[in-house]
Amino acid sequence: MLIPFPARLTRRAGSCVPTGILAGPGTRGPARLLAAYTGLPLVHNGPVIRLALRPGLGPEEYTLDVTPEHALLAASTEAGLLAGVQTIRQLSPRLPCLTIRDAPRLPWRGVLLDVARHFMPLEFLREFVDLLALHKYNVLHLHLTDDQGWRIEIDGWPRLTGIGAWRAESMVGPAGSDVFDGVPHGGFYTRRDLRELVAFAAGRGVRIVPEIDLPGHVRAALAAYPSLGNRPSVTLPVWTEWGISPDILGVHEGVFAFCRDVLTQVADVFPAPYLHIGGDECPTTQWETSPDAQATAARLGVPPAELHPWFLGRLHDIVAGLGRQAVCWDETGHSAGRLPADLVVTAWRDAAHGALAVARGHRVVMAPHTATYFDYRQSEDPGEPPREPVTTLEDVYRFDPLAGGLPVAGETGPGILGTQAQLWTEHAPTPDHVRHLAFPRLCALAERAWSPPGRGYADFHRRLTGHLGRLRALGALPKERVRFAGALGVPGKTMP
């Protein structure tokens, strides 16, 4: 019932029922985590699960050998041990005798959770991180800001959370709907909240990559500080609609001082080597009439509409100055030579865009919306969210991030860094809505990101049957049927 399935597994007769855990030198953290999962004590004798650091294995590689007398989990790094802990967690309490040698197919195995459209409580974020770890995901991409809300406390900019974290109501149904719920919504995380979440995640082998979406999707920030926009005399509310607000950041130096301050504080909270700067869906109409933008464009010798890659290049330089790697969404990389090659691209429009970005020298996180946007409905059921198209469990499983022979990215060279799912929350106001959208599709993508290709969907689906029982026991699935406001049925596809 293992999901994702190991790279190599050999079964033998018999089983082991360990009575304790023995932590070798340097393995105390993973051993304590395994003890918390299994309820076994940390002991020094009896049938034990022994953890050991051994040289010669890859960054997240591990081996597990189980005999009737004991189990040995070995790796060269803590990350490898933590991956093995999750395998034992799935096998417990009676471990079958086997030998496993396992390592991931891709280094970036992520899930985006949008807490900007709908704020999610910290308790749920911790639960969600633990479920990601169970499936050997190692990245939680936290979408912290958007038109509809600003969710992170920033020193010196109190109105970002005092005003930008709260909206008067929310649109019901898809973008363009004229129906609103009349219910105020908001919330934000303190830096202490987020540091505690970072530590919790790190203890499970998950790093949190924060996203501050710039220079578009900033209506919440402009509601707090109109001077950052192109119409400083206009007072704007936090956006209550879905879709794309036309309001974007201006291009004067005060804007870049703001960006530098925010990104510096975000980097201080999140130690991950990557920092996502957004860059998607940025309408440039306001730049075409802004005196500041017109003057900047004239100085650069480009039309105002083409200030977008220049703006992102400046953000890239800020992030590089903080010792981090900038990540942006894929439409920002369509003009060859317009962006620094070391800017990581998240390819969301389609896989072909990701392949083009690799050809231009970028490292790419493959996230085409037709296979990895889990806010899309997963069946034709009329209770599903009002988002098209339908993306079934099988659709997700059949997605291959390396299709066409794309290479896996190296430390610096171009290639596919990994893949990730997207859980946008316009239509998911509660943790149960997120749980419904996430599972079991996250199980399928986890296997595509971790396991070698070659195992068929039928084999995966057979293992999933037992795994769903495990997820129910962990509270990962909604206890009651979840319905989505404004939902509509779509004929043509059904969930297997």
Side-chain angles (χ1 to χ4, degrees), residues 185-241:
H185 178 80
F188 66 91
Y189 308 105
T190 67
R191 290 188 304 283
R192 179 176 179 178
D193 290 337
L194 293 169
R195 285 193 178 101
E196 290 176 354
L197 181 65
V198 165
F200 178 89
R204 286 154 176 76
V206 177
R207 61 174 176 248
I208 300 182
V209 174
E211 181 184 352
I212 306 298
D213 208 345
L214 306 164
H217 286 289
V218 291
R219 176 68 172 264
L222 298 182
Y225 295 99
S227 63
L228 296 172
N230 297 283
R231 301 182 295 161
S233 62
V234 178
T235 300
L236 300 166
V238 175
W239 220 35
T240 58
E241 302 179 33

Side-chain angles (χ1 to χ4, degrees), residues 2 8 28 46 79 101 112 117 130 144 155 166 185 198 221 225 251 255 266 304 335 364 393 410 453:
L2 289 174
R8 283 188 280 173
R28 192 77 174 173
R101 182 159 184 166
L112 175 146
R117 271 52 175 266
D130 194 58
L144 288 162
D155 269 349
W166 311 93
H185 178 80
V198 165
Y225 295 99
V251 299
V255 168
V266 169
S335 299
V364 172
L393 178 69

